[in-house]
Amino acid sequence: MLQTKVDSGLDGVIVADTIMSEVDGEAGRLVVRGHGLQELVAGRGFEGVAALLWTGYGEGGGDETAVRDGLAAARIRAFADVPRLLAVTEGLTPVEALRVGIGMLPDSDPTPHHYLVCGALPVFLAALINARRGVSAIAPDPTLTTAQDLLRMIRGQRAGAVFEKGLDTYLATVADHGFNASTFTARVVASTHAGLISAVLAGLCALKGPLHGGAPGPVLDMLDEIGAAAHAEAWFDEAFSKGTRLMGFGHRIYKVRDPRADVLKAAVTTLPSTAGRLAFAAEVEKGAIAALRRHKPGQRLETNVEYYTALLLEALEVPREAFTALFAVGRVAGWCAHIFEQEKGGRIIRPQSNYVGPRPQ
Ligand code: ACO
């Protein structure tokens, strides 16, 4: 079996300037268009963060009301595609089915494409969750925000203010995060002028992996397997002996705790009946950090966003298999902003490789 040298993963390589967000991995700080994360989510919901990210780009960018109206109209538009989507996605996981759904959106659609995809994702996701439960798709309500409407479409009725706020905080928190793998992928595709829908689809495909947006479902699987805090140490030692990675821990950029973990943990505390689950998760988290120190000394591995994402989405009663697809509902705002930025100023992204194969005689 041929094996070339393990690639660098572009570790530490700066590939572009951006005005979207800064991830300071040493300070544990995230800045989105000039706003620190805590301040950002205290003052803005998902539509507000999307408006901020799109300021200076795209139709309606900067104006939260215009973004809210544009997304509401796009949700209505997307609902017409639901029967076609459900007809061809039986047996697929929600994120696999979203991949199909985005792929079905035509480049020729007159709706501004950032609205088209950002409006379609929550409608498709709710319909997919319902279909897997044998429930008919519920039409969107254009008077609501994305978070309010998504929970309503999943549950069949308004969820209540604390739940809606919890989801809104989640979507706003994950909307953008520097040149993560999915955003970078979207920018590579955008750099070829393939168009926003294709670039978003590529971003979703990168997000789907368990090392990126696929981690929160397995976090809950891990908590279930551990079962009780007293079993955590033995479980972790066994996991390391098998070379298993601890989901929800470690990050390429953050060498300290991911600041999004604290924001999402705080959001869980606002939801009813979460105290026991949170206390258990916090104990397991402590054990995981201790095990990482024991088994990976010298590596600075801390809790990342996905650990408390899992707890929050569980408390919001989102089915586990839909977690990655729900991540996309938030992150798509950032992908669109980066696509605008790339299309406006960037050249085609075309790095080089080091050829180490045989040469002709
Ligand atoms: N559990 C156990 N060991 C780990 C973990 C982990 N979660 N993360 C990294 N390591 C170890 C690796 O085994 C490696 O050890 P070694 O040098 O002894 O072989 C060392 O730390 C460095 O690992 P890399 O893979 O080089 O680190 P990288 O920066 O490339 O990976 C990543 C970052 C993919 C997030 C990694 O930490 C990971 O796999 N975490 C678990 C999955 C996860 O939670 N992903 C969500 C990330 S947040 C997001 O994308 C939204």
Side-chain angles (χ1 to χ4, degrees):
M1 175 83 101
L2 289 173
Q3 171 101 54
T4 44
K5 195 172 70 177
V6 173
D7 66 86
S8 70
L10 297 181
D11 197 351
V13 176
I14 293 173
V15 294
D17 291 345
T18 181
I19 60 165
M20 296 306 162
S21 56
E22 180 184 55
V23 181
D24 184 334
E26 288 297 335
R29 197 171 50 222
L30 169 62
V31 171
V32 177
R33 300 227 39 184
H35 301 266
L37 176 65
Q38 304 275 355
E39 175 221 336
L40 181 81
V41 298
R44 288 177 173 78
F46 176 66
E47 276 78 2
V49 173
L52 184 69
L53 284 166
W54 299 344
T55 297
Y57 300 95
E59 195 178 295
D63 178 347
E64 185 173 339
T65 309
V67 168
R68 189 177 156 149
D69 292 348
L71 291 178
R75 289 200 302 279
I76 300 292
R77 146 76 185 79
F79 191 65
D81 284 338
V82 163
R84 212 154 51 96
L85 175 67
L86 296 183
V88 293
T89 53
E90 206 179 320
L92 300 186
T93 64
V95 72
E96 290 168 344
L98 273 196
R99 199 171 56 187
V100 176
I102 298 172
M104 280 171 28
L105 299 172
D107 282 347
S108 57
D109 196 294
T111 310
H113 286 181
H114 54 308
Y115 286 138
L116 185 68
V117 288
C118 293
L121 289 186
V123 173
F124 290 172
L125 177 57
L128 290 160
I129 290 172
N130 285 329
R132 274 141 194 76
R133 294 194 293 226
V135 174
S136 301
I138 293 167
D141 177 345
T143 66
L144 302 179
T145 65
T146 299
Q148 290 167 342
D149 206 16
L150 176 53
L151 275 186
R152 187 192 61 86
M153 289 185 285
I154 293 173
R155 292 172 177 227
Q157 56 183 10
R158 290 288 294 271
V162 283
F163 290 94
E164 292 171 353
K165 173 87 179 110
L167 181 59
D168 205 23
T169 299
Y170 170 69
L171 297 177
T173 300
V174 301
D176 197 48
H177 200 245
F179 267 45
N180 59 85
S182 57
T183 299
F184 181 59
T185 303
R187 288 190 71 131
V188 170
V189 175
S191 83
T192 72
H193 296 184
L196 186 140
I197 297 168
S198 301
V200 164
L201 177 56
L204 178 83
C205 293
L207 185 77
K208 176 177 170 288
L211 298 190
H212 188 11
V219 167
L220 291 190
D221 297 339
M222 175 179 82
L223 292 177
D224 286 352
E225 281 180 34
I226 292 172
H231 305 155
E233 187 174 334
W235 192 93
F236 289 131
D237 287 344
E238 162 100 17
F240 277 102
S241 74
K242 293 189 206 146
T244 308
R245 286 186 177 220
L246 307 187
M247 292 292 139
F249 297 90
H251 197 276
R252 172 62 63 78
I253 309 294
Y254 290 122
K255 299 304 166 202
V256 297
R257 190 180 168 83
D258 184 332
R260 298 169 299 175
D262 290 326
V263 169
L264 299 184
K265 185 177 182 185
V268 183
T269 62
T270 66
L271 299 174
S273 313
T274 51
R277 184 71 163 156
L278 258 186
F280 166 61
E283 278 300 305
V284 172
E285 182 188 6
K286 241 192 276 171
I289 298 293
L292 286 162
R293 300 275 183 281
R294 267 198 315 281
H295 292 276
K296 296 284 171 187
Q299 301 283 355
R300 297 168 64 196
L301 302 168
E302 302 285 343
T303 313
N304 69 43
V305 64
E306 302 290 44
Y307 193 73
Y308 285 101
T309 290
L311 274 293
L312 178 59
L313 300 188
E314 178 186 57
L316 293 172
E317 298 171 22
V318 175
R320 198 173 292 197
E321 65 277 9
F323 285 3
T324 307
L326 184 55
F327 191 169
V329 173
R331 180 55 59 84
V332 68
W335 291 335
C336 291
H338 280 271
I339 291 164
F340 292 144
E341 189 176 52
Q342 184 66 41
E343 286 176 340
K344 196 124 180 181
R347 294 172 70 202
I348 189 167
I349 296 175
R350 203 299 184 194
Q352 289 192 49
S353 53
N354 180 34
Y355 178 69
V356 294
R359 297 195 179 275
Q361 295 303 313

